[in-house]
């Protein structure tokens, strides 16, 4: 038997973008997908505030994220709908989902299952290196690691899955 | 007379992307600009952890941000280099600048001058509305405001400058 809550859940509706006022000041969800059908998504660890990754969603991924409360993306390298954590177990539970003024960017606040990592290289965050600011007198020629150890071994977790990074 | 520090500051170098290992595990800055010459940038309030905006940088904007310690973007709507705060006074001082695993996204942690706002609509953050998660039993059909009052009046600050939002 289906749960009552799943029976009454209405489908997610994306409204047509009709005016600046509607998009900026309204309460209708009217996301702007780019010419490849994608919207950019910033994913943040809800408890630490750390940015974990920047991903992209197509309409289906955004709808599934809203419907299921788990982050879905469009994998640009693999060209498939990507339920984050399906391979690694590092599922991202959405605590809050926000959209920006012109509705062309998403901000996800998530809790990550398992080790809490989100980066395919093995780090907690994809942003594990900083660029020193020249104005402060630092050497901007060399990136500086902010995470000193990997959280997991990508070979153990992903096995032979191809590396998504493209040159 | 020039300050000594500005005399010895080397120019920012973007390295050619030669291997996955170099890009993901190296210390060379080798950003990937998309087919429009842009890289996406997530800008976060360094003290609160709030995401203020998602912007885009071309090579010049990224280099100027590194060199000056103040956020520069490429305005896609106006098609110009955009020193954030030049019109509004809401300059973003960079506290930390990070780059992601495949070097196609930037994370800026900033301190904002003046009222601390970053959104042209008048809110502190561009992300002033959330999409309720259907899985939690909420009505996903209507956005919910997370900022109840604007921080500044955009008409006073921007005057007749055209609204950058495009349908």
């Amino acid at each position: 038997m289906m749960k009552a809550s799943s029976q009454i859940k209405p489908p997610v509706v994306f409204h047509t973008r009709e005016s600046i006022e509607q998009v900026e000041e309204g309460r209708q969800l009217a996301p702007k997908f780019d010419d490849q059908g994608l919207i950019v998504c910033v994913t943040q660890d809800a408890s630490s505030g750390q940015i974990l990754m920047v991903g992209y969603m197509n309409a289906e991924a955004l709808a599934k994220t809203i419907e299921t409360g788990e982050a879905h993306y469009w994998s640009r390298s693999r060209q498939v709908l990507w339920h984050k954590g399906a391979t690694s177990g590092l599922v991202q539970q959405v605590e809050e989902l926000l959209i920006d003024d012109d509705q062309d960017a998403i901000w996800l606040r998530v809790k990550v299952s398992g080790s809490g990592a989100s980066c395919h290289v093995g780090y907690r965050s994809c942003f594990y290196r900083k660029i020193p600011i020249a104005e402060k007198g630092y050497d901007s020629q060399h990136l500086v690691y902010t995470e000193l150890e990997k959280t997991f071994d990508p070979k153990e977790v992903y096995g032979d899955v191809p590396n998504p990074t493209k040159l």
Side-chain angles (χ1 to χ4, degrees), chain A:
Chain A
M1 199 178 88
M2 288 179 73
K3 282 190 295 180
S5 63
S6 63
Q7 288 174 334
I8 59 168
K9 212 184 291 173
V12 174
V13 176
F14 297 141
H15 291 270
T16 306
R17 295 165 66 89
E18 288 168 353
S19 71
I20 303 292
E21 190 182 356
Q22 168 217 23
V23 168
E24 288 188 344
E25 311 264 7
R27 293 183 62 215
Q28 289 186 342
L29 177 58
K32 184 174 191 173
F33 297 98
D34 67 15
D35 53 12
Q36 294 176 65
L38 302 178
I39 188 168
V40 65
C41 172
V42 180
T43 304
Q44 180 184 39
D45 185 300
S47 55
S48 72
Q50 185 179 34
I51 307 302
L52 297 173
M53 55 180 281
V54 170
Y56 293 84
M57 294 176 170
N58 63 0
E60 185 184 4
L62 178 55
K64 279 201 181 293
T65 302
I66 296 169
E67 285 163 1
T68 66
E70 294 184 353
H72 290 70
Y73 303 93
W74 175 255
S75 167
R76 294 179 303 167
S77 54
R78 292 182 288 135
Q79 293 282 304
V80 291
L81 183 73
W82 170 29
H83 180 194
K84 175 75 180 169
T87 302
S88 65
L90 304 168
V91 171
Q92 296 175 339
Q93 304 283 345
V94 179
E95 298 210 346
E96 203 168 46
L97 197 168
L98 297 100
I99 195 160
D100 75 342
D101 44 18
D102 58 353
Q103 300 202 30
D104 71 352
I106 297 287
W107 169 18
L108 283 188
R109 297 180 59 244
V110 304
K111 181 178 176 183
V112 185
S113 303
S115 67
S118 285
C119 173
H120 75 278
V121 181
Y123 295 100
R124 176 171 289 273
S125 162
C126 293
F127 295 88
Y128 47 83
R129 291 169 298 184
K130 66 178 174 182
I131 307 172
I133 301 293
E135 184 270 338
K136 297 184 180 178
Y138 297 121
D139 167 18
S140 292
Q141 304 309 312
H142 294 99
L143 305 179
V144 172
Y145 275 72
T146 57
E147 293 191 37
L148 298 181
E149 287 191 4
K150 294 188 182 184
T151 301
F152 65 89
D153 178 351
K155 281 184 193 157
E156 275 181 24
V157 170
Y158 296 109
D160 293 334
V161 175
N163 187 317
T165 292
K166 304 291 177 202
L167 291 182

PDB file of all heavy atoms in Angstrom, chain A residues 114-143:
ATOM      1  N   GLY A 114      27.433   8.657   5.104  1.00  0.00           N
ATOM      2  CA  GLY A 114      28.732   7.965   5.162  1.00  0.00           C
ATOM      3  C   GLY A 114      29.838   8.856   5.687  1.00  0.00           C
ATOM      4  O   GLY A 114      29.670   9.552   6.682  1.00  0.00           O
ATOM      5  N   SER A 115      30.960   8.874   4.974  1.00  0.00           N
ATOM      6  CA  SER A 115      32.133   9.618   5.439  1.00  0.00           C
ATOM      7  C   SER A 115      31.932  11.128   5.364  1.00  0.00           C
ATOM      8  O   SER A 115      32.731  11.890   5.893  1.00  0.00           O
ATOM      9  CB  SER A 115      33.353   9.240   4.592  1.00  0.00           C
ATOM     10  OG  SER A 115      33.181   9.691   3.256  1.00  0.00           O
ATOM     11  N   GLY A 116      30.883  11.569   4.667  1.00  0.00           N
ATOM     12  CA  GLY A 116      30.616  12.998   4.563  1.00  0.00           C
ATOM     13  C   GLY A 116      31.333  13.662   3.412  1.00  0.00           C
ATOM     14  O   GLY A 116      31.239  14.879   3.234  1.00  0.00           O
ATOM     15  N   ALA A 117      32.026  12.889   2.595  1.00  0.00           N
ATOM     16  CA  ALA A 117      32.783  13.467   1.477  1.00  0.00           C
ATOM     17  C   ALA A 117      31.904  13.609   0.241  1.00  0.00           C
ATOM     18  O   ALA A 117      30.898  12.909   0.094  1.00  0.00           O
ATOM     19  CB  ALA A 117      33.984  12.587   1.165  1.00  0.00           C
ATOM     20  N   SER A 118      32.298  14.521  -0.643  1.00  0.00           N
ATOM     21  CA  SER A 118      31.530  14.740  -1.868  1.00  0.00           C
ATOM     22  C   SER A 118      32.403  14.785  -3.114  1.00  0.00           C
ATOM     23  O   SER A 118      31.876  14.951  -4.209  1.00  0.00           O
ATOM     24  CB  SER A 118      30.749  16.060  -1.781  1.00  0.00           C
ATOM     25  OG  SER A 118      29.638  15.929  -0.926  1.00  0.00           O
ATOM     26  N   CYS A 119      33.702  14.670  -2.979  1.00  0.00           N
ATOM     27  CA  CYS A 119      34.599  14.874  -4.120  1.00  0.00           C
ATOM     28  C   CYS A 119      35.136  13.547  -4.639  1.00  0.00           C
ATOM     29  O   CYS A 119      35.642  12.739  -3.854  1.00  0.00           O
ATOM     30  CB  CYS A 119      35.745  15.777  -3.682  1.00  0.00           C
ATOM     31  SG  CYS A 119      37.031  15.938  -4.921  1.00  0.00           S
ATOM     32  N   HIS A 120      35.079  13.360  -5.962  1.00  0.00           N
ATOM     33  CA  HIS A 120      35.488  12.077  -6.536  1.00  0.00           C
ATOM     34  C   HIS A 120      36.988  11.817  -6.385  1.00  0.00           C
ATOM     35  O   HIS A 120      37.446  10.691  -6.552  1.00  0.00           O
ATOM     36  CB  HIS A 120      35.101  12.004  -8.021  1.00  0.00           C
ATOM     37  CG  HIS A 120      35.987  12.813  -8.914  1.00  0.00           C
ATOM     38  ND1 HIS A 120      35.811  14.172  -9.092  1.00  0.00           N
ATOM     39  CD2 HIS A 120      37.066  12.483  -9.653  1.00  0.00           C
ATOM     40  CE1 HIS A 120      36.741  14.622  -9.913  1.00  0.00           C
ATOM     41  NE2 HIS A 120      37.518  13.627 -10.270  1.00  0.00           N
ATOM     42  N   VAL A 121      37.757  12.873  -6.076  1.00  0.00           N
ATOM     43  CA  VAL A 121      39.206  12.696  -5.900  1.00  0.00           C
ATOM     44  C   VAL A 121      39.504  12.094  -4.516  1.00  0.00           C
ATOM     45  O   VAL A 121      40.582  11.545  -4.286  1.00  0.00           O
ATOM     46  CB  VAL A 121      39.941  14.048  -6.105  1.00  0.00           C
ATOM     47  CG1 VAL A 121      41.448  13.895  -5.958  1.00  0.00           C
ATOM     48  CG2 VAL A 121      39.617  14.624  -7.483  1.00  0.00           C
ATOM     49  N   GLY A 122      38.525  12.188  -3.602  1.00  0.00           N
ATOM     50  CA  GLY A 122      38.689  11.573  -2.289  1.00  0.00           C
ATOM     51  C   GLY A 122      38.616  12.562  -1.132  1.00  0.00           C
ATOM     52  O   GLY A 122      38.619  12.169   0.025  1.00  0.00           O
ATOM     53  N   TYR A 123      38.550  13.849  -1.474  1.00  0.00           N
ATOM     54  CA  TYR A 123      38.483  14.863  -0.428  1.00  0.00           C
ATOM     55  C   TYR A 123      37.034  15.100  -0.008  1.00  0.00           C
ATOM     56  O   TYR A 123      36.096  14.754  -0.726  1.00  0.00           O
ATOM     57  CB  TYR A 123      39.125  16.174  -0.911  1.00  0.00           C
ATOM     58  CG  TYR A 123      40.615  16.029  -1.158  1.00  0.00           C
ATOM     59  CD1 TYR A 123      41.108  15.846  -2.444  1.00  0.00           C
ATOM     60  CD2 TYR A 123      41.509  16.042  -0.097  1.00  0.00           C
ATOM     61  CE1 TYR A 123      42.474  15.695  -2.673  1.00  0.00           C
ATOM     62  CE2 TYR A 123      42.878  15.885  -0.318  1.00  0.00           C
ATOM     63  CZ  TYR A 123      43.347  15.719  -1.602  1.00  0.00           C
ATOM     64  OH  TYR A 123      44.690  15.550  -1.820  1.00  0.00           O
ATOM     65  N   ARG A 124      36.898  15.742   1.151  1.00  0.00           N
ATOM     66  CA  ARG A 124      35.564  16.080   1.648  1.00  0.00           C
ATOM     67  C   ARG A 124      34.878  17.036   0.674  1.00  0.00           C
ATOM     68  O   ARG A 124      33.743  16.822   0.263  1.00  0.00           O
ATOM     69  CB  ARG A 124      35.703  16.733   3.037  1.00  0.00           C
ATOM     70  CG  ARG A 124      34.415  17.235   3.647  1.00  0.00           C
ATOM     71  CD  ARG A 124      34.651  17.646   5.086  1.00  0.00           C
ATOM     72  NE  ARG A 124      34.870  16.480   5.924  1.00  0.00           N
ATOM     73  CZ  ARG A 124      33.885  15.773   6.507  1.00  0.00           C
ATOM     74  NH1 ARG A 124      32.629  16.158   6.350  1.00  0.00           N
ATOM     75  NH2 ARG A 124      34.138  14.732   7.235  1.00  0.00           N
ATOM     76  N   SER A 125      35.562  18.099   0.311  1.00  0.00           N
ATOM     77  CA  SER A 125      35.045  19.092  -0.621  1.00  0.00           C
ATOM     78  C   SER A 125      35.858  19.046  -1.911  1.00  0.00           C
ATOM     79  O   SER A 125      37.050  18.723  -1.893  1.00  0.00           O
ATOM     80  CB  SER A 125      35.187  20.498  -0.004  1.00  0.00           C
ATOM     81  OG  SER A 125      35.080  21.499  -1.002  1.00  0.00           O
ATOM     82  N   CYS A 126      35.208  19.384  -3.026  1.00  0.00           N
ATOM     83  CA  CYS A 126      35.951  19.526  -4.287  1.00  0.00           C
ATOM     84  C   CYS A 126      36.918  20.706  -4.220  1.00  0.00           C
ATOM     85  O   CYS A 126      37.862  20.791  -4.996  1.00  0.00           O
ATOM     86  CB  CYS A 126      34.978  19.764  -5.448  1.00  0.00           C
ATOM     87  SG  CYS A 126      33.924  18.352  -5.800  1.00  0.00           S
ATOM     88  N   PHE A 127      36.671  21.617  -3.299  1.00  0.00           N
ATOM     89  CA  PHE A 127      37.513  22.816  -3.186  1.00  0.00           C
ATOM     90  C   PHE A 127      38.570  22.574  -2.101  1.00  0.00           C
ATOM     91  O   PHE A 127      38.450  23.067  -0.982  1.00  0.00           O
ATOM     92  CB  PHE A 127      36.653  24.029  -2.845  1.00  0.00           C
ATOM     93  CG  PHE A 127      35.682  24.407  -3.930  1.00  0.00           C
ATOM     94  CD1 PHE A 127      34.417  23.838  -3.978  1.00  0.00           C
ATOM     95  CD2 PHE A 127      36.033  25.321  -4.918  1.00  0.00           C
ATOM     96  CE1 PHE A 127      33.525  24.177  -4.981  1.00  0.00           C
ATOM     97  CE2 PHE A 127      35.140  25.667  -5.928  1.00  0.00           C
ATOM     98  CZ  PHE A 127      33.878  25.087  -5.958  1.00  0.00           C
ATOM     99  N   TYR A 128      39.580  21.789  -2.432  1.00  0.00           N
ATOM    100  CA  TYR A 128      40.601  21.431  -1.448  1.00  0.00           C
ATOM    101  C   TYR A 128      41.909  22.192  -1.665  1.00  0.00           C
ATOM    102  O   TYR A 128      42.905  21.916  -1.015  1.00  0.00           O
ATOM    103  CB  TYR A 128      40.863  19.910  -1.467  1.00  0.00           C
ATOM    104  CG  TYR A 128      41.054  19.314  -2.850  1.00  0.00           C
ATOM    105  CD1 TYR A 128      42.283  19.359  -3.492  1.00  0.00           C
ATOM    106  CD2 TYR A 128      39.987  18.721  -3.522  1.00  0.00           C
ATOM    107  CE1 TYR A 128      42.456  18.835  -4.755  1.00  0.00           C
ATOM    108  CE2 TYR A 128      40.139  18.187  -4.791  1.00  0.00           C
ATOM    109  CZ  TYR A 128      41.373  18.242  -5.404  1.00  0.00           C
ATOM    110  OH  TYR A 128      41.532  17.737  -6.664  1.00  0.00           O
ATOM    111  N   ARG A 129      41.881  23.149  -2.602  1.00  0.00           N
ATOM    112  CA  ARG A 129      43.074  23.973  -2.843  1.00  0.00           C
ATOM    113  C   ARG A 129      42.686  25.435  -2.932  1.00  0.00           C
ATOM    114  O   ARG A 129      41.668  25.778  -3.538  1.00  0.00           O
ATOM    115  CB  ARG A 129      43.757  23.550  -4.159  1.00  0.00           C
ATOM    116  CG  ARG A 129      44.404  22.182  -4.115  1.00  0.00           C
ATOM    117  CD  ARG A 129      44.816  21.717  -5.494  1.00  0.00           C
ATOM    118  NE  ARG A 129      43.650  21.589  -6.368  1.00  0.00           N
ATOM    119  CZ  ARG A 129      43.687  21.132  -7.612  1.00  0.00           C
ATOM    120  NH1 ARG A 129      44.849  20.780  -8.148  1.00  0.00           N
ATOM    121  NH2 ARG A 129      42.587  21.039  -8.333  1.00  0.00           N
ATOM    122  N   LYS A 130      43.506  26.292  -2.358  1.00  0.00           N
ATOM    123  CA  LYS A 130      43.223  27.719  -2.494  1.00  0.00           C
ATOM    124  C   LYS A 130      44.273  28.405  -3.353  1.00  0.00           C
ATOM    125  O   LYS A 130      45.413  27.921  -3.490  1.00  0.00           O
ATOM    126  CB  LYS A 130      43.094  28.394  -1.129  1.00  0.00           C
ATOM    127  CG  LYS A 130      44.333  28.436  -0.298  1.00  0.00           C
ATOM    128  CD  LYS A 130      44.022  29.189   1.018  1.00  0.00           C
ATOM    129  CE  LYS A 130      45.199  29.120   1.957  1.00  0.00           C
ATOM    130  NZ  LYS A 130      44.912  29.782   3.249  1.00  0.00           N
ATOM    131  N   ILE A 131      43.848  29.515  -3.936  1.00  0.00           N
ATOM    132  CA  ILE A 131      44.748  30.361  -4.726  1.00  0.00           C
ATOM    133  C   ILE A 131      45.145  31.523  -3.821  1.00  0.00           C
ATOM    134  O   ILE A 131      44.300  32.327  -3.439  1.00  0.00           O
ATOM    135  CB  ILE A 131      44.047  30.929  -5.983  1.00  0.00           C
ATOM    136  CG1 ILE A 131      43.402  29.801  -6.808  1.00  0.00           C
ATOM    137  CG2 ILE A 131      45.019  31.749  -6.818  1.00  0.00           C
ATOM    138  CD1 ILE A 131      42.522  30.321  -7.960  1.00  0.00           C
ATOM    139  N   PRO A 132      46.410  31.630  -3.440  1.00  0.00           N
ATOM    140  CA  PRO A 132      46.812  32.731  -2.559  1.00  0.00           C
ATOM    141  C   PRO A 132      46.586  34.092  -3.252  1.00  0.00           C
ATOM    142  O   PRO A 132      46.796  34.220  -4.459  1.00  0.00           O
ATOM    143  CB  PRO A 132      48.293  32.462  -2.315  1.00  0.00           C
ATOM    144  CG  PRO A 132      48.467  30.991  -2.585  1.00  0.00           C
ATOM    145  CD  PRO A 132      47.517  30.710  -3.717  1.00  0.00           C
ATOM    146  N   ILE A 133      46.148  35.056  -2.465  1.00  0.00           N
ATOM    147  CA  ILE A 133      45.832  36.385  -2.994  1.00  0.00           C
ATOM    148  C   ILE A 133      47.117  37.205  -3.095  1.00  0.00           C
ATOM    149  O   ILE A 133      47.773  37.471  -2.075  1.00  0.00           O
ATOM    150  CB  ILE A 133      44.828  37.096  -2.070  1.00  0.00           C
ATOM    151  CG1 ILE A 133      43.537  36.270  -1.965  1.00  0.00           C
ATOM    152  CG2 ILE A 133      44.538  38.512  -2.547  1.00  0.00           C
ATOM    153  CD1 ILE A 133      42.755  36.174  -3.236  1.00  0.00           C
ATOM    154  N   ALA A 134      47.448  37.635  -4.303  1.00  0.00           N
ATOM    155  CA  ALA A 134      48.692  38.381  -4.533  1.00  0.00           C
ATOM    156  C   ALA A 134      48.721  39.678  -3.732  1.00  0.00           C
ATOM    157  O   ALA A 134      49.757  40.076  -3.194  1.00  0.00           O
ATOM    158  CB  ALA A 134      48.853  38.668  -6.030  1.00  0.00           C
ATOM    159  N   GLU A 135      47.558  40.318  -3.629  1.00  0.00           N
ATOM    160  CA  GLU A 135      47.484  41.614  -2.964  1.00  0.00           C
ATOM    161  C   GLU A 135      47.919  41.526  -1.509  1.00  0.00           C
ATOM    162  O   GLU A 135      48.367  42.503  -0.920  1.00  0.00           O
ATOM    163  CB  GLU A 135      46.046  42.152  -3.106  1.00  0.00           C
ATOM    164  CG  GLU A 135      45.803  43.547  -2.551  1.00  0.00           C
ATOM    165  CD  GLU A 135      45.374  43.512  -1.097  1.00  0.00           C
ATOM    166  OE1 GLU A 135      44.862  42.457  -0.632  1.00  0.00           O
ATOM    167  OE2 GLU A 135      45.573  44.520  -0.417  1.00  0.00           O
ATOM    168  N   LYS A 136      47.774  40.330  -0.917  1.00  0.00           N
ATOM    169  CA  LYS A 136      48.172  40.152   0.472  1.00  0.00           C
ATOM    170  C   LYS A 136      49.653  39.774   0.587  1.00  0.00           C
ATOM    171  O   LYS A 136      50.136  39.454   1.665  1.00  0.00           O
ATOM    172  CB  LYS A 136      47.300  39.074   1.132  1.00  0.00           C
ATOM    173  CG  LYS A 136      45.823  39.492   1.178  1.00  0.00           C
ATOM    174  CD  LYS A 136      44.951  38.499   1.919  1.00  0.00           C
ATOM    175  CE  LYS A 136      43.500  38.997   1.910  1.00  0.00           C
ATOM    176  NZ  LYS A 136      42.568  38.093   2.565  1.00  0.00           N
ATOM    177  N   GLY A 137      50.335  39.775  -0.566  1.00  0.00           N
ATOM    178  CA  GLY A 137      51.769  39.514  -0.545  1.00  0.00           C
ATOM    179  C   GLY A 137      52.122  38.046  -0.712  1.00  0.00           C
ATOM    180  O   GLY A 137      53.284  37.663  -0.593  1.00  0.00           O
ATOM    181  N   TYR A 138      51.118  37.210  -0.998  1.00  0.00           N
ATOM    182  CA  TYR A 138      51.385  35.777  -1.149  1.00  0.00           C
ATOM    183  C   TYR A 138      51.779  35.429  -2.581  1.00  0.00           C
ATOM    184  O   TYR A 138      51.480  36.158  -3.531  1.00  0.00           O
ATOM    185  CB  TYR A 138      50.152  34.959  -0.752  1.00  0.00           C
ATOM    186  CG  TYR A 138      49.764  35.115   0.696  1.00  0.00           C
ATOM    187  CD1 TYR A 138      48.497  35.592   1.044  1.00  0.00           C
ATOM    188  CD2 TYR A 138      50.653  34.790   1.715  1.00  0.00           C
ATOM    189  CE1 TYR A 138      48.141  35.739   2.375  1.00  0.00           C
ATOM    190  CE2 TYR A 138      50.299  34.943   3.048  1.00  0.00           C
ATOM    191  CZ  TYR A 138      49.041  35.415   3.371  1.00  0.00           C
ATOM    192  OH  TYR A 138      48.690  35.570   4.679  1.00  0.00           O
ATOM    193  N   ASP A 139      52.392  34.284  -2.731  1.00  0.00           N
ATOM    194  CA  ASP A 139      52.773  33.747  -4.035  1.00  0.00           C
ATOM    195  C   ASP A 139      51.547  33.091  -4.677  1.00  0.00           C
ATOM    196  O   ASP A 139      51.131  32.015  -4.259  1.00  0.00           O
ATOM    197  CB  ASP A 139      53.894  32.724  -3.837  1.00  0.00           C
ATOM    198  CG  ASP A 139      54.148  31.890  -5.087  1.00  0.00           C
ATOM    199  OD1 ASP A 139      53.718  32.308  -6.181  1.00  0.00           O
ATOM    200  OD2 ASP A 139      54.783  30.828  -4.952  1.00  0.00           O
ATOM    201  N   SER A 140      50.982  33.763  -5.685  1.00  0.00           N
ATOM    202  CA  SER A 140      49.781  33.240  -6.335  1.00  0.00           C
ATOM    203  C   SER A 140      50.098  32.181  -7.382  1.00  0.00           C
ATOM    204  O   SER A 140      49.200  31.684  -8.052  1.00  0.00           O
ATOM    205  CB  SER A 140      49.005  34.388  -6.997  1.00  0.00           C
ATOM    206  OG  SER A 140      48.478  35.239  -6.010  1.00  0.00           O
ATOM    207  N   GLN A 141      51.361  31.885  -7.551  1.00  0.00           N
ATOM    208  CA  GLN A 141      51.751  30.946  -8.604  1.00  0.00           C
ATOM    209  C   GLN A 141      51.525  29.492  -8.196  1.00  0.00           C
ATOM    210  O   GLN A 141      51.527  28.611  -9.046  1.00  0.00           O
ATOM    211  CB  GLN A 141      53.232  31.135  -8.969  1.00  0.00           C
ATOM    212  CG  GLN A 141      53.583  32.548  -9.398  1.00  0.00           C
ATOM    213  CD  GLN A 141      52.659  33.092 -10.480  1.00  0.00           C
ATOM    214  OE1 GLN A 141      52.393  32.434 -11.460  1.00  0.00           O
ATOM    215  NE2 GLN A 141      52.146  34.300 -10.276  1.00  0.00           N
ATOM    216  N   HIS A 142      51.361  29.249  -6.920  1.00  0.00           N
ATOM    217  CA  HIS A 142      51.203  27.859  -6.476  1.00  0.00           C
ATOM    218  C   HIS A 142      49.977  27.704  -5.590  1.00  0.00           C
ATOM    219  O   HIS A 142      49.820  28.436  -4.611  1.00  0.00           O
ATOM    220  CB  HIS A 142      52.454  27.390  -5.721  1.00  0.00           C
ATOM    221  CG  HIS A 142      53.655  27.319  -6.605  1.00  0.00           C
ATOM    222  ND1 HIS A 142      54.598  28.310  -6.656  1.00  0.00           N
ATOM    223  CD2 HIS A 142      54.037  26.392  -7.513  1.00  0.00           C
ATOM    224  CE1 HIS A 142      55.528  27.989  -7.550  1.00  0.00           C
ATOM    225  NE2 HIS A 142      55.210  26.832  -8.089  1.00  0.00           N
ATOM    226  N   LEU A 143      49.128  26.761  -5.940  1.00  0.00           N
ATOM    227  CA  LEU A 143      47.964  26.453  -5.127  1.00  0.00           C
ATOM    228  C   LEU A 143      48.416  25.866  -3.790  1.00  0.00           C
ATOM    229  O   LEU A 143      49.444  25.212  -3.710  1.00  0.00           O
ATOM    230  CB  LEU A 143      47.077  25.439  -5.865  1.00  0.00           C
ATOM    231  CG  LEU A 143      46.641  25.849  -7.278  1.00  0.00           C
ATOM    232  CD1 LEU A 143      45.794  24.725  -7.904  1.00  0.00           C
ATOM    233  CD2 LEU A 143      45.861  27.148  -7.260  1.00  0.00           C
TER     234      LEU A 143
END
